[in-house]
Amino acid sequence: MSAAGQEYQAVQGQDLLNETDDSKHLREAIGGFSSEDEDDASPTEPLHKSQLDGTPRRSPPRKGEHTTIDVSKARRPWLRFCACLIPSKRVFILITIVLATVIGAAIGGGAWVYKSAPKDGLSPPWYPTPLGGTVENWKKSYELARQMVGKMSLVEKVNITTGTGWAMNMCVGNTGTADSVGFPSLCLQDGPLGIRFTDHASSFPAGITVGATWSHELMRAHGVAHGREARLKGIHVLLGPCMGPIGRNPAGGRNWEGFGSDPVLQAVGAYETIQGIQSENVMATAKHYVGNEQEHFRQSFEWGLPNAMSSNIDDRTLHELYAWPFAESVRAGVASVMCSYQMVNNSYACGNSKLMNGILKDELGFQGFVQSDWLAQRSGVGSALAGLDMSMPGDGLGWADGKSLWGKQLSLAVLNRSVPIERLDDMATRIVASWYQMGQDKWEKPAPEGKGGPNFSSFSTKEIDLLHPASDSDEKGVVNQFVDVQGGKPGDPPHKIVARKVAAEGTVLVKNDGMLPLSRNRSATIAIVGEDAGPGEGPNVCEDRACNQGTLGSGWGSGASEFPYLVDPASGFKAAVKNASIKVNTYLQNDLDQDIRAKLKLNDLCIVFANAIAGEGFRSWNGIRGDRNDLNLQKGGDDLIIATTESCGGPTIVVIHAVGPVIVEKWADLPGVKAILLANLPGQESGNALADVLFGNVDASGRLPYTVGKSLGDYGPGAQVLYYPNGAVPQVDFNESLYIDYRHFDKDEIKPRYEFGFGLSYTTFELSDLVLKKLKQKSALPAPRLNEVPATTSSGDVPDPSTALLPAGFRRLKKYIYPWIESTKLVKKGRYPYPRGYDEPQTPSPAGGAEGGNPDLFEPIIEVAVRVNNTGKRPGKEVVQVYLSFPDNVVEPSTGEPIDFPPKVLRNFKKVELKRGGSQVVKLGLTRKDLSYWSTVQQNWVMPVEGEFKIRVGRSSRDLPLEVVF
């Protein structure tokens, strides 16, 4: 295991929970479980009261059983044989472990006991953590933060870095307070789609729908509305937006939370959303950093294995693909970054010093704080040294067990010098500086001083209920004030208008044989067909939205929210008809018997709906646990569409709601299918937004944020989810490098069904007169790193241990996490084994120097201008897309090694609206970073100066009629 990923135990003063994963699991293999281990392995009971519709709210994900057997040693024929016989992946994993045990015992036993240490040396160490406060934009906030932190006691500093435990307060995440200086408990709340676990809040379209708008303006407006609702609910830290996963695996369970399968599209979505959220004085969170591309094996014990999987990503791919949107998030000034569950290069992301210290805080100049995903922290001292600043929700290796890896353990670690106090001061200062940066010091104080703080409970729907529901306290109070935040501030339009616009412009028309838009000025009988067109049993009937029934408005998991309402397509269509001469019949089921088929023949037009759902790995539905098992429509969707098309008395329109690409080959070319719309995940205004598009109230202006292939295999071997473990530490090698989605299709010359960036309009556009303007000359490297604002450190004085003692007479709540120690005898100084590389000086990255990286990277080098003409008969919107092809025969200067590039990559885009006959010149810049590749040799962004760049402009990744060279 690399030094960056090891989980170090203090010499003295650390309990079992600060033990390394390696030693803990090896001890379990040799000596069995202790009573503490048995408690960790047992299921956790639900902690929540009912939702608005009477179903329970989220209980902590069930933990898997411990194992120390190397399942990678089971031969592949055995794996295939077992897969044919068993009903579930979980059973498969357990049987594989048993088989490995039996076989191992037969050939010598001991060699088959798995030491759960991942591979060594794949993630280099990077220590110590760079201090925050090094950029001018944060200077004032850091000055104020250092003053405040300087007045805090040790336990107060620890308290604001550690969550109080799952379901101990009102929000999904709650920090402790620093009462002596007036620093409040911070409320952290999901999520990217809407405010989770609350009432009277909007359920906006999902990130993938926002990305499908390709609209900077709507991305920003969506962020503003989302941030405003969080602010009015008293939330300090909103857990979104999401730009990881990026969509490496098209069947990935959480792709729908992000903006699309391209780093630039993701980056623009992230930048605009963050700017919007934080304009409302709410801290945004860029998540999940980084490489969290599938749900299978993402988390320790969730799949019966002792460790999470490792996403093994090379340096260049990490920079150019997966970290690119996070760099733009930092450039947007994001206050928080959430590290992901799984390992990266065999070091847990929340304990990976290279990722957090080296790339995020040094190279990208991140000034805010890094928080763990919920229970993604897998070590105490090690994660602190590696750059983690906040532990969420505060519990350690198990849900709601009260055994924090920080809390009192962090107090002890500082007192015994295994965590330098300078590191704790920086952790606390980063959190407080982010609070000042958002102006939250001006918010109304919480009770008893004021009426501020969160005005809702994530764990109850009652007005008065338990204040600390997962503890042994019976103290009650007002936990829900039922504040309606859907209208924003007084005088603002209701947020449903923004939600409706995003859903409409995020609907992608991929086929139209003269069918759309529909006319209201005729007599017709229209059939609405399919369960996805109707309300089902209600939008919130399933916990965390983890089922497929009724119309699909979102995926499932922590990224979903409680719908205040959901306008189903049938209702939205009926309301939009406004003509008594148009009769609408509804057949809201997927199984069409002969009677329904006969009735369909009496209709002049049929609109049929089908869908596909997925979500977070802690929930499952119908054999889908997080990641989809394929890219097929669910619940017999293909058969439904074919049956409808064959039975309808007129043409058929197909509408798909899905979490990502679906295979449409069985019916897309049927003569009766005259139009296809991919409506993604539209949120609460689903039916109204779809009607706007169908009737032409708005132009069909969505563009695909991913490629629709003809089969799952078309996406390449690297795009396949690892469904079965290839070891007790599953290894996923990102060998496809930069070639995901359309880049892979281009490289292997595979014709997709519908390409990335594609989408039809109700009007026609012509692009012409492409002109390139050189703003700067080519030069290989950016300017030298600027001198940053000097970061000051604390005095380094460790206080007397007695100052950290539990106050006399203080009543502790069961499982609530506190920062105090019980006795000064626990503090025993010793020689602490700091990680390898901890004392090796690190040279600041030449790619750094400001938020997002070296400021010279973002200077425009060229500008392209193109004229867009609306040549059709109605107003509409076009998305001008700019793709870049790097010069041929580029080599690394110092080694002569050839540098490989995708055939083309998206680098900029702009959506414009034109009246009939209108014309506009659109100007788009390309920066130094856009024209550079990441050199693993020079550890910098390098612009090729020899050869010609090709800049291609058009409407999609495969419709690029204009080209110019640079």
Side-chain angles (χ1 to χ4, degrees):
M1 182 182 234
S2 68
Q6 291 184 32
E7 306 191 346
Y8 296 91
Q9 178 185 7
V11 173
Q12 302 289 342
Q14 301 285 23
D15 67 9
L16 179 65
L17 294 180
N18 284 75
E19 183 178 24
T20 70
D21 266 358
D22 300 346
S23 60
K24 183 173 188 284
H25 297 310
L26 184 59
R27 171 180 52 77
E28 292 166 356
I30 297 170
F33 296 107
S34 69
S35 59
E36 287 184 325
D37 296 324
E38 291 170 355
D39 289 341
D40 284 346
S42 64
T44 306
E45 294 300 319
L47 297 173
H48 308 288
K49 302 294 183 181
S50 63
Q51 291 181 1
L52 299 178
D53 57 9
T55 58
R57 286 190 176 175
R58 174 182 177 179
S59 59
R62 186 178 64 181
K63 294 170 286 183
E65 295 78 13
H66 294 247
T67 180
T68 54
I69 303 300
D70 185 358
V71 297
S72 68
K73 294 185 175 5
R75 297 178 183 271
R76 292 186 182 274
W78 279 104
L79 302 185
R80 291 195 292 268
F81 175 74
C82 290
C84 295
L85 298 178
I86 61 177
S88 71
K89 297 186 185 78
R90 191 173 186 85
V91 174
F92 173 87
I93 293 168
L94 294 176
I95 290 179
T96 302
I97 292 169
V98 172
L99 285 174
T101 306
V102 173
I103 295 170
I107 68 170
W112 288 79
V113 175
Y114 183 74
K115 297 179 180 179
S116 60
K119 299 176 183 178
D120 180 60
L122 297 182
S123 187
W126 209 108
Y127 297 99
T129 303
L131 297 175
T134 57
V135 301
E136 191 65 35
N137 188 42
W138 285 69
K139 184 178 179 180
K140 182 63 176 178
S141 295
Y142 265 87
E143 289 175 352
L144 293 170
R146 290 188 185 105
Q147 293 174 16
M148 177 175 280
V149 173
K151 298 175 183 177
M152 291 183 187
S153 66
L154 170 66
V155 292
E156 285 180 321
K157 296 172 188 176
V158 169
N159 215 28
I160 69 171
T161 67
T162 308
T164 57
W166 179 253
M168 288 299 172
N169 292 97
M170 298 299 97
C171 304
V172 297
N174 309 270
T175 64
T177 63
D179 292 335
S180 71
V181 293
F183 188 79
S185 169
L186 298 184
C187 166
L188 294 83
Q189 193 73 11
D190 295 312
L193 185 143
I195 309 302
R196 186 183 183 208
F197 290 159
T198 190
D199 52 78
H200 299 92
S202 302
S203 284
F204 293 100
I208 199 67
T209 313
V210 177
T213 69
W214 289 65
S215 168
H216 291 68
E217 292 75 21
L218 282 181
M219 291 170 176
R220 178 71 66 95
H222 164 260
V224 170
H226 198 179
R228 189 164 299 169
E229 295 200 1
R231 171 68 185 90
L232 294 174
K233 284 291 185 180
I235 295 165
H236 298 90
V237 185
L238 183 60
L239 302 178
C242 174
M243 65 283 318
I246 198 173
R248 172 184 185 260
N249 308 115
R254 300 184 77 177
N255 292 350
W256 59 275
E257 295 185 39
F259 302 103
S261 300
D262 177 86
V264 169
L265 181 58
Q266 283 267 31
V268 172
Y271 184 95
E272 297 295 346
T273 303
I274 289 165
Q275 290 268 297
I277 290 170
Q278 295 192 165
S279 71
E280 295 298 318
N281 306 115
V282 172
M283 301 183 217
T285 303
K287 66 179 190 180
H288 308 89
Y289 183 71
V290 64
N292 188 179
E293 293 295 315
Q294 66 171 65
E295 292 304 286
H296 282 70
F297 317 121
R298 64 166 186 159
Q299 195 173 5
S300 303
F301 305 116
E302 192 172 60
W303 296 85
L305 298 174
N307 279 297
M309 61 167 280
S310 178
S311 297
N312 301 324
I313 313 172
D314 69 84
D315 191 23
R316 184 182 172 201
T317 301
L318 180 66
H319 279 81
E320 293 189 28
L321 197 59
Y322 297 97
W324 187 294
F326 288 94
E328 279 298 286
S329 299
V330 174
R331 201 162 78 90
V334 72
S336 177
V337 169
M338 180 189 290
C339 51
S340 54
Y341 280 116
Q342 89 300 332
M343 300 183 194
V344 177
N345 298 337
N346 284 285
S347 176
Y348 277 102
C350 290
N352 191 312
S353 66
K354 175 63 176 177
L355 286 180
M356 292 190 290
N357 290 341
I359 295 177
L360 185 62
K361 292 183 176 179
D362 174 60
E363 182 185 316
L364 300 184
F366 176 55
Q367 301 298 302
F369 61 91
V370 180
Q371 59 168 294
S372 68
D373 204 339
W374 271 227
L375 263 68
Q377 182 189 23
R378 307 310 296 169
S379 65
V381 172
S383 60
L385 299 179
L388 186 66
D389 302 305
M390 181 185 288
S391 171
M392 278 290 135
D395 303 289
L397 301 177
W399 279 96
D401 61 7
K403 302 174 183 178
S404 181
L405 294 168
W406 281 2
K408 67 178 181 181
Q409 301 297 339
L410 183 56
S411 296
L412 283 170
V414 173
L415 291 171
N416 69 20
R417 273 70 168 182
S418 53
V419 170
I421 194 167
E422 293 88 353
R423 174 77 269 265
L424 176 62
D425 285 347
D426 181 58
M427 292 155 63
T429 302
R430 285 176 173 272
I431 293 167
V432 176
S434 300
W435 181 70
Y436 275 120
Q437 187 76 355
M438 294 301 108
Q440 293 182 359
D441 57 307
K442 299 178 177 63
W443 289 16
E444 185 171 0
K445 294 183 181 298
E449 291 84 1
K451 297 181 180 179
N455 51 41
F456 67 97
S457 171
S458 298
F459 309 102
S460 174
T461 58
K462 300 176 182 179
E463 179 181 8
I464 299 175
D465 210 338
L466 295 173
L467 296 176
H468 312 290
S471 75
D472 59 350
S473 171
D474 58 2
E475 182 182 4
K476 292 186 177 182
V478 175
V479 295
N480 282 303
Q481 299 177 36
F482 308 108
V483 178
D484 191 338
V485 299
Q486 297 169 90
K489 296 177 180 177
D492 285 351
H495 292 160
K496 66 180 182 181
I497 294 177
V498 174
R500 184 168 176 168
K501 286 182 178 179
V502 172
E505 292 201 27
T507 297
V508 186
L509 178 66
V510 294
K511 180 177 181 179
N512 189 18
D513 292 347
M515 191 72 241
L516 295 175
L518 300 176
S519 172
R520 293 183 175 90
N521 301 318
R522 64 170 185 166
S523 298
T525 301
I526 300 175
I528 306 294
V529 185
E531 181 183 320
D532 184 69
E537 299 178 51
N540 298 322
V541 67
C542 295
E543 192 171 0
D544 292 314
R545 318 294 81 77
C547 65
N548 189 349
Q549 61 83 41
T551 193
L552 185 62
S554 81
W556 77 64
S558 62
S561 66
E562 282 63 40
F563 282 95
Y565 61 86
L566 176 54
V567 180
D568 63 84
S571 299
F573 188 85
K574 289 179 179 178
V577 168
K578 299 177 181 178
N579 184 346
S581 298
I582 298 178
K583 181 181 179 182
V584 180
N585 299 314
T586 56
Y587 307 97
L588 305 181
Q589 59 200 74
N590 284 14
D591 184 13
L592 305 184
D593 57 28
Q594 292 303 315
D595 180 57
I596 293 177
R597 295 187 187 207
K599 291 178 180 179
L600 290 179
K601 293 185 182 298
L602 305 177
N603 288 269
D604 303 306
L605 170 68
C606 296
I607 307 176
V608 60
F609 291 76
N611 63 30
I613 195 174
E616 194 169 356
F618 70 87
R619 295 262 178 234
S620 63
W621 170 82
N622 200 31
I624 299 171
R625 188 170 179 192
D627 308 306
R628 286 185 285 168
N629 298 325
D630 48 49
L631 299 185
N632 298 328
L633 290 171
Q634 296 163 5
K635 306 187 79 170
D638 290 323
D639 293 338
L640 169 68
I641 293 169
I642 293 170
T644 301
T645 304
E646 292 175 346
S647 303
C648 188
T652 297
I653 298 171
V654 179
V655 180
I656 304 297
H657 291 120
V659 291
V662 295
I663 305 303
V664 301
E665 296 307 297
K666 292 182 178 180
W667 45 265
D669 292 327
L670 291 177
V673 174
K674 298 299 183 182
I676 303 172
L677 295 112
L678 305 183
N680 296 297
L681 300 172
Q684 66 187 37
E685 286 291 318
S686 174
N688 291 333
L690 181 63
D692 287 341
V693 177
L694 289 172
F695 285 106
N697 298 349
V698 299
D699 187 27
S701 67
R703 302 294 182 262
L704 286 175
Y706 45 73
T707 297
V708 177
K710 295 181 179 181
S711 70
L712 178 57
D714 281 355
Y715 293 84
Q720 312 308 309
V721 170
L722 179 70
Y723 292 108
Y724 299 103
N726 55 13
V729 182
Q731 301 291 311
V732 178
D733 299 328
F734 287 35
N735 291 331
E736 72 284 350
S737 185
L738 303 174
Y739 295 97
I740 69 167
D741 201 75
Y742 71 92
R743 300 171 178 214
H744 165 75
F745 281 78
D746 289 349
K747 178 176 181 285
D748 285 9
E749 298 181 341
I750 299 171
K751 184 179 180 180
R753 167 57 68 167
Y754 304 116
E755 71 268 21
F756 174 82
F758 174 73
L760 299 173
S761 170
Y762 291 150
T763 186
T764 56
F765 295 93
E766 179 185 64
L767 305 183
S768 63
D769 303 332
L770 178 62
V771 178
L772 182 146
K773 180 180 181 181
K774 298 179 182 178
L775 304 177
K776 289 188 177 182
Q777 295 297 318
K778 294 179 184 178
S779 59
L781 296 173
R785 181 169 176 162
L786 298 174
N787 292 323
E788 295 144 282
V789 176
T792 59
T793 62
S794 61
S795 65
D797 295 333
V798 178
D800 188 281
S802 62
T803 63
L805 285 172
L806 180 72
F810 184 86
R811 177 181 176 260
R812 290 185 291 182
L813 302 182
K814 186 178 181 181
K815 296 185 179 181
Y816 199 99
I817 295 167
Y818 299 102
W820 295 292
I821 63 174
E822 288 81 7
S823 171
T824 58
K825 294 180 180 179
L826 296 173
V827 182
K828 298 178 181 179
K829 300 175 185 177
R831 182 177 176 83
Y832 181 71
Y834 285 104
R836 175 176 57 82
Y838 187 82
D839 295 324
E840 297 175 9
Q842 296 288 343
T843 302
S845 171
E851 288 180 284
N854 189 323
D856 197 36
L857 292 172
F858 307 104
E859 289 295 317
I861 302 298
I862 60 174
E863 180 184 81
V864 294
V866 60
R867 180 169 293 279
V868 185
N869 295 299
N870 183 346
T871 57
K873 299 180 179 180
R874 54 168 290 156
K877 294 185 178 183
E878 179 63 292
V879 179
V880 181
Q881 302 173 37
V882 179
Y883 292 80
L884 176 75
S885 297
F886 281 82
D888 297 330
N889 304 316
V890 175
V891 298
E892 179 62 43
S894 61
T895 65
E897 177 188 3
I899 304 298
D900 184 45
F901 294 100
K904 59 181 174 290
V905 291
L906 179 70
R907 281 300 185 250
N908 208 339
F909 62 88
K910 186 173 183 179
K911 193 171 198 176
V912 294
E913 183 174 17
L914 293 175
K915 297 179 180 179
R916 176 182 177 181
S919 180
Q920 180 179 338
V921 174
V922 176
K923 296 181 179 180
L924 295 157
L926 272 68
T927 67
R928 170 178 289 279
K929 187 176 180 181
D930 291 329
L931 299 168
S932 299
Y933 70 93
W934 178 258
S935 169
T936 60
V937 176
Q938 301 183 59
Q939 288 294 292
N940 206 345
W941 294 94
V942 176
M943 181 195 302
V945 294
E946 302 293 335
E948 293 182 336
F949 290 92
K950 293 179 181 178
I951 293 88
R952 301 173 180 178
V953 180
R955 303 177 184 86
S956 76
S957 62
R958 295 213 168 182
D959 181 10
L960 301 168
L962 304 180
E963 181 179 313
V964 67
V965 298
F966 169 56

PDB file of all heavy atoms in Angstrom, residues 400-414:
ATOM      1  N   ALA A 400     -23.967   5.037  12.324  1.00  0.00           N
ATOM      2  CA  ALA A 400     -24.651   5.391  13.569  1.00  0.00           C
ATOM      3  C   ALA A 400     -24.158   4.587  14.762  1.00  0.00           C
ATOM      4  O   ALA A 400     -24.927   4.210  15.635  1.00  0.00           O
ATOM      5  CB  ALA A 400     -26.169   5.209  13.393  1.00  0.00           C
ATOM      6  N   ASP A 401     -22.827   4.327  14.795  1.00  0.00           N
ATOM      7  CA  ASP A 401     -22.296   3.569  15.929  1.00  0.00           C
ATOM      8  C   ASP A 401     -21.640   4.459  16.974  1.00  0.00           C
ATOM      9  O   ASP A 401     -21.267   3.999  18.044  1.00  0.00           O
ATOM     10  CB  ASP A 401     -21.313   2.498  15.450  1.00  0.00           C
ATOM     11  CG  ASP A 401     -20.104   3.073  14.715  1.00  0.00           C
ATOM     12  OD1 ASP A 401     -19.950   4.317  14.684  1.00  0.00           O
ATOM     13  OD2 ASP A 401     -19.304   2.279  14.189  1.00  0.00           O
ATOM     14  N   GLY A 402     -21.497   5.753  16.657  1.00  0.00           N
ATOM     15  CA  GLY A 402     -20.906   6.680  17.613  1.00  0.00           C
ATOM     16  C   GLY A 402     -19.412   6.521  17.808  1.00  0.00           C
ATOM     17  O   GLY A 402     -18.830   7.183  18.671  1.00  0.00           O
ATOM     18  N   LYS A 403     -18.771   5.654  17.032  1.00  0.00           N
ATOM     19  CA  LYS A 403     -17.333   5.395  17.188  1.00  0.00           C
ATOM     20  C   LYS A 403     -16.565   6.163  16.123  1.00  0.00           C
ATOM     21  O   LYS A 403     -16.168   5.620  15.102  1.00  0.00           O
ATOM     22  CB  LYS A 403     -17.053   3.896  17.080  1.00  0.00           C
ATOM     23  CG  LYS A 403     -17.797   3.052  18.096  1.00  0.00           C
ATOM     24  CD  LYS A 403     -17.570   1.574  17.829  1.00  0.00           C
ATOM     25  CE  LYS A 403     -18.361   0.705  18.785  1.00  0.00           C
ATOM     26  NZ  LYS A 403     -18.182  -0.750  18.487  1.00  0.00           N
ATOM     27  N   SER A 404     -16.361   7.437  16.386  1.00  0.00           N
ATOM     28  CA  SER A 404     -15.748   8.300  15.383  1.00  0.00           C
ATOM     29  C   SER A 404     -14.256   8.035  15.251  1.00  0.00           C
ATOM     30  O   SER A 404     -13.563   7.715  16.226  1.00  0.00           O
ATOM     31  CB  SER A 404     -15.966   9.770  15.754  1.00  0.00           C
ATOM     32  OG  SER A 404     -15.399  10.619  14.777  1.00  0.00           O
ATOM     33  N   LEU A 405     -13.757   8.194  14.038  1.00  0.00           N
ATOM     34  CA  LEU A 405     -12.312   8.165  13.809  1.00  0.00           C
ATOM     35  C   LEU A 405     -11.679   9.493  14.204  1.00  0.00           C
ATOM     36  O   LEU A 405     -10.460   9.567  14.367  1.00  0.00           O
ATOM     37  CB  LEU A 405     -12.022   7.869  12.335  1.00  0.00           C
ATOM     38  CG  LEU A 405     -12.438   6.471  11.854  1.00  0.00           C
ATOM     39  CD1 LEU A 405     -12.376   6.381  10.338  1.00  0.00           C
ATOM     40  CD2 LEU A 405     -11.560   5.404  12.481  1.00  0.00           C
ATOM     41  N   TRP A 406     -12.482  10.531  14.311  1.00  0.00           N
ATOM     42  CA  TRP A 406     -12.019  11.823  14.798  1.00  0.00           C
ATOM     43  C   TRP A 406     -12.712  12.088  16.141  1.00  0.00           C
ATOM     44  O   TRP A 406     -12.630  11.264  17.028  1.00  0.00           O
ATOM     45  CB  TRP A 406     -12.276  12.912  13.755  1.00  0.00           C
ATOM     46  CG  TRP A 406     -11.230  12.899  12.652  1.00  0.00           C
ATOM     47  CD1 TRP A 406     -10.190  12.033  12.513  1.00  0.00           C
ATOM     48  CD2 TRP A 406     -11.152  13.792  11.546  1.00  0.00           C
ATOM     49  NE1 TRP A 406      -9.469  12.330  11.391  1.00  0.00           N
ATOM     50  CE2 TRP A 406     -10.022  13.407  10.773  1.00  0.00           C
ATOM     51  CE3 TRP A 406     -11.900  14.886  11.118  1.00  0.00           C
ATOM     52  CZ2 TRP A 406      -9.649  14.084   9.607  1.00  0.00           C
ATOM     53  CZ3 TRP A 406     -11.527  15.552   9.950  1.00  0.00           C
ATOM     54  CH2 TRP A 406     -10.411  15.157   9.210  1.00  0.00           C
ATOM     55  N   GLY A 407     -13.361  13.214  16.326  1.00  0.00           N
ATOM     56  CA  GLY A 407     -13.921  13.495  17.640  1.00  0.00           C
ATOM     57  C   GLY A 407     -12.825  13.433  18.696  1.00  0.00           C
ATOM     58  O   GLY A 407     -11.751  14.007  18.541  1.00  0.00           O
ATOM     59  N   LYS A 408     -13.060  12.680  19.763  1.00  0.00           N
ATOM     60  CA  LYS A 408     -12.068  12.604  20.847  1.00  0.00           C
ATOM     61  C   LYS A 408     -10.771  11.966  20.367  1.00  0.00           C
ATOM     62  O   LYS A 408      -9.694  12.258  20.912  1.00  0.00           O
ATOM     63  CB  LYS A 408     -12.644  11.839  22.027  1.00  0.00           C
ATOM     64  CG  LYS A 408     -12.894  10.359  21.769  1.00  0.00           C
ATOM     65  CD  LYS A 408     -13.433   9.670  23.013  1.00  0.00           C
ATOM     66  CE  LYS A 408     -13.669   8.178  22.779  1.00  0.00           C
ATOM     67  NZ  LYS A 408     -14.208   7.502  23.991  1.00  0.00           N
ATOM     68  N   GLN A 409     -10.841  11.101  19.338  1.00  0.00           N
ATOM     69  CA  GLN A 409      -9.621  10.492  18.831  1.00  0.00           C
ATOM     70  C   GLN A 409      -8.716  11.533  18.171  1.00  0.00           C
ATOM     71  O   GLN A 409      -7.495  11.453  18.260  1.00  0.00           O
ATOM     72  CB  GLN A 409      -9.961   9.380  17.828  1.00  0.00           C
ATOM     73  CG  GLN A 409     -10.808   8.263  18.384  1.00  0.00           C
ATOM     74  CD  GLN A 409     -10.105   7.499  19.496  1.00  0.00           C
ATOM     75  OE1 GLN A 409      -8.883   7.521  19.603  1.00  0.00           O
ATOM     76  NE2 GLN A 409     -10.885   6.840  20.337  1.00  0.00           N
ATOM     77  N   LEU A 410      -9.313  12.509  17.508  1.00  0.00           N
ATOM     78  CA  LEU A 410      -8.520  13.576  16.912  1.00  0.00           C
ATOM     79  C   LEU A 410      -7.925  14.468  17.997  1.00  0.00           C
ATOM     80  O   LEU A 410      -6.774  14.920  17.883  1.00  0.00           O
ATOM     81  CB  LEU A 410      -9.385  14.395  15.952  1.00  0.00           C
ATOM     82  CG  LEU A 410      -8.674  15.523  15.190  1.00  0.00           C
ATOM     83  CD1 LEU A 410      -7.470  15.006  14.404  1.00  0.00           C
ATOM     84  CD2 LEU A 410      -9.664  16.218  14.240  1.00  0.00           C
ATOM     85  N   SER A 411      -8.684  14.704  19.053  1.00  0.00           N
ATOM     86  CA  SER A 411      -8.128  15.474  20.188  1.00  0.00           C
ATOM     87  C   SER A 411      -6.902  14.763  20.748  1.00  0.00           C
ATOM     88  O   SER A 411      -5.862  15.382  20.996  1.00  0.00           O
ATOM     89  CB  SER A 411      -9.180  15.646  21.279  1.00  0.00           C
ATOM     90  OG  SER A 411     -10.283  16.410  20.823  1.00  0.00           O
ATOM     91  N   LEU A 412      -7.017  13.449  20.953  1.00  0.00           N
ATOM     92  CA  LEU A 412      -5.878  12.679  21.455  1.00  0.00           C
ATOM     93  C   LEU A 412      -4.709  12.701  20.484  1.00  0.00           C
ATOM     94  O   LEU A 412      -3.543  12.818  20.896  1.00  0.00           O
ATOM     95  CB  LEU A 412      -6.302  11.227  21.708  1.00  0.00           C
ATOM     96  CG  LEU A 412      -7.102  10.960  22.975  1.00  0.00           C
ATOM     97  CD1 LEU A 412      -7.655   9.544  22.964  1.00  0.00           C
ATOM     98  CD2 LEU A 412      -6.223  11.173  24.206  1.00  0.00           C
ATOM     99  N   ALA A 413      -5.009  12.603  19.196  1.00  0.00           N
ATOM    100  CA  ALA A 413      -3.950  12.573  18.196  1.00  0.00           C
ATOM    101  C   ALA A 413      -3.158  13.870  18.181  1.00  0.00           C
ATOM    102  O   ALA A 413      -1.945  13.870  17.975  1.00  0.00           O
ATOM    103  CB  ALA A 413      -4.556  12.297  16.819  1.00  0.00           C
ATOM    104  N   VAL A 414      -3.834  14.989  18.416  1.00  0.00           N
ATOM    105  CA  VAL A 414      -3.125  16.271  18.482  1.00  0.00           C
ATOM    106  C   VAL A 414      -2.339  16.370  19.784  1.00  0.00           C
ATOM    107  O   VAL A 414      -1.182  16.809  19.803  1.00  0.00           O
ATOM    108  CB  VAL A 414      -4.119  17.445  18.351  1.00  0.00           C
ATOM    109  CG1 VAL A 414      -3.406  18.779  18.588  1.00  0.00           C
ATOM    110  CG2 VAL A 414      -4.773  17.433  16.969  1.00  0.00           C
TER     111      VAL A 414
END
